[in-house]
Amino acid sequence: MSQHTLIIDGMALLFRHFYATSFRNQFMYNKKYLPTNGVQGMLRHTFKLLELTQPDHVIVAWDMGSKSVRNEWFEGYKANRVAPPEEMVPQFDMIKDVIHDIGFYQDGVRGYEADDVIGTVAQHIDDLTIVSGDRDLLQLINRTNRIWLTKKGYTEYHHYNYDAFLDQYGITPEQFIDVKALMGDASDGYSGVQGIGEKTALKLIQTHGSVEALLNNLDTLTPKMQEKINNDMESLQMSQRLARIITDVPLKMDTMMDNSRLNLDTVHINNVLADHDLSVAQKYLSTLNFR
């Protein structure tokens, strides 16, 4: 019987829940007058995921620092990202401390992003559920894993397995890398081919199968499209490299699987939440039904 693993994109959930309440200035200050809104939102979301997915293992993946190996490839990678709000800053260490005290396994490797940690884990584990708000991770879908993209609250997701992705996009998950290469990603700071958006990029890959095949058949495109691609060839090639999630991060997989086995002790978790003055998460925990 296969062991089901849940892996969570930590930064995606932390930022999501910080901004979900911060726009109303609901920072949920604790007794030390430190904001906890992102931490409490992420914890509640994680608890609900454990109830919904009932995994045997749970892993939280983190970005480690603001720079990654991609900044060595391309200086402009994520260069347009603004600094996090001051109320967010203390919550980066706080959430890791709380997760450590609860006993959930968490990992990150300097020089790599959480996506790369998740991508590497996906190469080694068969029965895997990935939770994030980042569509880049769709390229990781295969026949034995699935991705839940956050949609609303703690319970609504866009659910993707291999067949669902194929039905929606008409390409394989791996081909999504080349769609991203053509359309670029403004939030990550790479532009792909100027004038090609997602709809056109998807159609081109549906027709040609890959960027390489597209380039080998440029003469079949309209003169205007040929001009766009030829003018941005260097950007296209770099965008393709940046769009691909790294799947060989140096992780100790045996250690990860040994230490990520879920032992859900709600009394212990409740005590940890009390120690960290996280009353909102405490109250939410009491409403859940873990089997």
Side-chain angles (χ1 to χ4, degrees), residues 19-269:
Y19 286 111
T21 54
S22 64
F23 77 97
R24 296 192 300 266
N25 290 320
Q26 294 182 353
F27 293 110
M28 304 180 191
Y29 290 97
N30 63 14
K31 292 174 184 175
K32 296 179 180 178
Y33 207 67
L34 291 173
T36 68
N37 61 319
V39 169
Q40 302 219 56
M42 180 180 171
L43 289 170
R44 285 180 287 169
H45 199 148
T46 300
F47 297 152
K48 188 62 179 181
L49 280 167
L50 297 178
E51 182 188 53
L52 291 172
T53 63
Q54 300 178 47
D56 300 292
H57 298 263
V58 61
I59 300 163
V60 181
W62 293 108
D63 298 328
M64 297 296 287
S66 60
K67 302 288 185 182
S68 76
V69 67
R70 292 174 179 83
N71 294 100
E72 299 173 10
W73 305 341
F74 179 58
E75 189 176 349
Y77 184 69
K78 292 190 176 179
N80 56 352
R81 296 283 178 96
V82 298
E86 63 178 288
E87 295 88 356
M88 182 75 181
V89 175
Q91 299 191 59
F92 294 131
D93 287 337
M94 187 189 301
I95 185 64
K96 292 176 184 176
D97 289 343
V98 176
I99 287 175
H100 172 269
D101 291 350
I102 288 173
F104 295 157
Y105 186 83
Q106 51 189 335
D107 207 347
V109 179
R110 190 159 297 280
Y112 298 94
E113 300 178 29
D115 288 6
D116 303 320
V117 172
I118 294 169
T120 301
V121 170
Q123 294 293 305
H124 294 273
I125 296 177
D126 287 336
D127 188 0
L128 182 67
T129 298
I130 300 166
V131 177
S132 178
D134 187 354
R135 286 204 312 155
D136 291 353
L137 290 165
L138 291 172
Q139 65 186 264
L140 300 176
I141 297 172
N142 59 35
R143 292 289 185 183
T144 62
N145 68 28
R146 64 214 62 85
I147 291 183
W148 291 16
L149 289 182
T150 52
K151 184 178 178 183
K152 184 180 179 182
Y154 308 135
T155 59
E156 293 187 32
Y157 299 88
H158 296 287
H159 295 270
Y160 290 97
N161 58 19
Y162 191 89
D163 290 334
F165 181 90
L166 206 63
D167 288 344
Q168 179 169 333
Y169 289 99
I171 57 173
T172 66
E174 189 173 5
Q175 288 174 304
F176 192 62
I177 298 167
D178 285 355
V179 172
K180 293 277 294 184
L182 286 163
M183 64 183 274
D185 188 327
S187 67
D188 284 345
Y190 62 90
S191 57
V193 176
Q194 291 289 337
I196 293 184
E198 181 171 357
K199 186 176 179 181
T200 300
L202 187 58
K203 185 175 180 181
L204 287 170
I205 298 304
Q206 286 170 341
T207 302
H208 297 277
S210 68
V211 164
E212 287 70 23
L214 174 64
L215 297 180
N216 287 333
N217 291 279
L218 278 181
D219 57 349
T220 66
L221 306 179
T222 64
K224 188 174 182 180
M225 184 63 70
Q226 290 182 50
E227 182 182 7
K228 287 179 180 179
I229 294 173
N230 282 320
N231 286 346
D232 263 338
M233 189 66 71
E234 187 175 340
S235 173
L236 173 59
Q237 291 169 343
M238 179 53 71
S239 296
Q240 187 182 36
R241 188 180 187 190
L242 294 169
R244 184 181 295 276
I245 290 173
I246 297 167
T247 57
D248 58 357
V249 175
L251 299 175
K252 297 178 180 178
M253 289 302 304
D254 289 342
T255 300
M256 176 182 283
M257 297 315 294
D258 287 343
N259 294 334
S260 64
R261 181 173 293 279
L262 183 61
N263 178 21
L264 201 58
D265 182 343
T266 55
V267 173
H268 169 69
I269 294 173

